[in-house]
């Protein structure tokens, strides 16, 4: 029973779980003194006969704040498989009346979560997917790509709005609202405005907005260099018909001898320096 629990829980165990498996508190202390177990937090231990994985690190951090704690933010995003890399600092949401303080390797958020906003995945309490998305997308190290990916594969925009509105007073709520508004309209027009602003701020000249090429109008054209720049909104707004039309349009422009660069709203907001560098390279701007 103990071995099975440890296997399912990434080698992490609480004192209550150990006692339920038949171990006394004295037996737990004996394992600690021998070095076979190590303490990760109040009443939480890790068995040292296996690697201390990211899953073990997140699980032990959450469990150390008690049974009402839940992983949130980027920690929850990783637990939901929305991101490839686990955050270095584990965000944990606890009830307002909890006395636990942030410790090394973790950050505490105090608020009372609605029951619809907490789920259990792999025996760990985490914020539900929709709330996780709107929170992780505005965390440092997260970004709109998390929301875009989730909307392509895992959830829908109304669910994100409902989770946001249930938790309006939380940390990062204003930024999440702006992101949701951008996602609601696809952000195509906003992407065009951002591109123009980036070009002006970089001092790049020789371009024309809405420039006609081959029966189409490209968002920005460099006539002398025959470079066309197209912007896209959020990927989750695209369907098969849009995809086919965009490729037909791009091929027509390319066959006329134009080089086509495409940037998404996420590129323009998350990686503006890279966008400008690629445009400069294409037009031979030093």
């Amino acid at each position: 029973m103990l071995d099975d629990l440890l296997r399912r829980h990434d080698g992490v165990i609480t004192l209550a779980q150990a006692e339920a498996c038949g171990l006394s508190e004295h037996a737990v202390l004996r394992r600690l003194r021998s070095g076979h177990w190590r303490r990760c937090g109040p009443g939480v231990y890790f068995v040292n006969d296996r690697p201390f994985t990211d899953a073990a690190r997140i699980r032990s951090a959450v469990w150390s704040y008690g049974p009402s704690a839940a992983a949130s933010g980027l920690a929850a995003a990783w637990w939901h498989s929305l991101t490839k890399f686990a955050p270095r600092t584990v965000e944990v949401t606890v009830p307002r009346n909890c006395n636990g303080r942030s410790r090394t390797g973790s950050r505490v958020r105090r608020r009372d979560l609605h029951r619809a906003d907490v789920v259990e995945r792999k025996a760990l309490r985490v914020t539900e997917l929709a709330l996780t998305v709107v929170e992780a997308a505005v965390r440092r190290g997260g970004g709109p790509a998390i929301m875009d990916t989730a909307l392509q594969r895992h959830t829908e925009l109304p669910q994100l709005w409902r989770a946001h509105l249930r938790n309006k007073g939380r940390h990062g709520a204003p930024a999440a609202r702006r992101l949701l508004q951008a996602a609601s309209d696809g952000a195509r027009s906003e992407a065009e405005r951002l591109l123009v602003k980036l070009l002006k701020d970089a001092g790049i000249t020789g371009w024309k907005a809405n420039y006609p090429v081959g029966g189409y109008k490209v968002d920005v054209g460099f006539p002398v260099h025959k470079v066309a720049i197209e912007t896209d909104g959020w990927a989750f707004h695209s369907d098969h018909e849009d995809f086919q039309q965009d490729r037909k349009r791009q091929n027509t422009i390319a066959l006329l001898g134009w080089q086509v660069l495409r940037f998404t709203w996420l590129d323009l907001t998350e990686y503006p320096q890279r966008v400008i560098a690629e445009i400069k390279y294409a037009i031979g701007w030093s």
Side-chain angles (χ1 to χ4, degrees):
M1 182 177 176
L2 178 63
D3 289 341
D4 181 59
L5 183 145
L6 291 170
R7 183 171 58 254
R8 289 185 287 110
H9 294 172
D10 311 299
V12 181
I13 189 170
T14 66
L15 179 59
Q17 290 168 347
E19 290 175 339
C21 289
L23 295 179
S24 65
E25 188 171 351
H26 178 72
V28 170
L29 290 174
R30 189 169 63 248
R31 284 166 169 76
L32 286 171
R33 284 195 292 266
S34 70
H36 184 55
W37 288 15
R38 65 178 160 112
R39 192 187 306 273
C40 298
V44 180
Y45 312 97
F46 176 72
V47 179
N48 273 326
D49 61 354
R50 66 202 73 201
F52 189 62
T53 62
D54 286 328
R57 179 169 59 85
I58 291 174
R59 187 184 295 279
S60 60
V62 174
W63 280 357
S64 69
Y65 288 97
S68 297
S72 55
L74 290 173
W78 184 82
W79 205 263
H80 280 291
S81 300
L82 294 173
T83 59
K84 291 183 179 180
F85 304 104
R88 296 183 65 179
T89 301
V90 179
E91 181 179 315
V92 183
T93 293
V94 299
R96 292 184 185 278
N97 61 2
C98 179
N99 294 321
R101 296 182 178 181
S102 296
R103 294 187 284 270
T104 301
S106 63
R107 179 181 294 112
V108 169
R109 305 279 186 199
R110 285 183 175 80
R111 73 177 189 276
D112 296 324
L113 291 169
H114 190 280
R115 61 184 179 184
D117 291 323
V118 183
V119 295
E120 188 171 291
R121 279 179 59 99
K122 294 179 285 188
L124 184 72
R125 280 168 53 88
V126 298
T127 49
E128 189 270 335
L129 180 65
L131 180 58
T132 296
V133 170
V134 295
E135 291 192 328
V138 296
R139 293 289 190 265
R140 189 179 186 87
I146 289 177
M147 185 177 291
D148 201 28
T149 299
L151 286 166
Q152 290 178 62
R153 305 173 187 172
H154 306 291
T155 189
E156 296 180 352
L157 199 54
Q159 293 174 297
L160 302 189
W161 272 112
R162 285 195 291 270
H164 168 72
L165 293 173
R166 279 196 304 267
N167 297 270
K168 287 191 292 186
R170 73 189 185 282
H171 173 75
R177 184 187 67 252
R178 291 192 295 271
L179 201 56
L180 286 167
Q181 289 170 339
S184 296
D185 68 12
R188 175 66 187 268
S189 59
E190 179 64 17
E192 293 177 20
R193 289 193 292 271
L194 283 170
L195 174 60
V196 168
K197 184 177 186 302
L198 286 177
L199 291 170
K200 288 180 177 178
D201 289 348
I204 297 175
T205 58
W207 54 271
K208 294 183 179 181
N210 298 312
Y211 188 76
V213 181
Y216 298 101
K217 282 189 177 181
V218 298
D219 294 331
V220 167
F222 287 84
V224 173
H225 303 92
K226 299 189 80 171
V227 172
I229 304 175
E230 295 277 65
T231 59
D232 298 310
W234 291 63
F236 82 93
H237 274 285
S238 300
D239 57 25
H240 181 70
E241 186 176 340
D242 291 335
F243 181 85
Q244 290 298 111
Q245 182 60 30
D246 283 344
R247 294 310 173 270
K248 179 182 177 182
R249 169 194 178 97
Q250 184 165 322
N251 289 345
T252 299
I253 295 170
L255 288 171
L256 292 173
W258 284 67
Q259 180 182 1
V260 181
L261 300 181
R262 298 193 74 94
F263 299 109
T264 66
W265 185 83
L266 298 178
D267 291 327
L268 296 164
T269 55
E270 295 286 289
Y271 313 106
Q273 292 180 334
R274 188 189 72 189
V275 169
I276 290 299
E278 291 181 6
I279 293 172
K280 285 183 175 179
Y281 183 82
I283 64 176
W285 188 288
S286 57

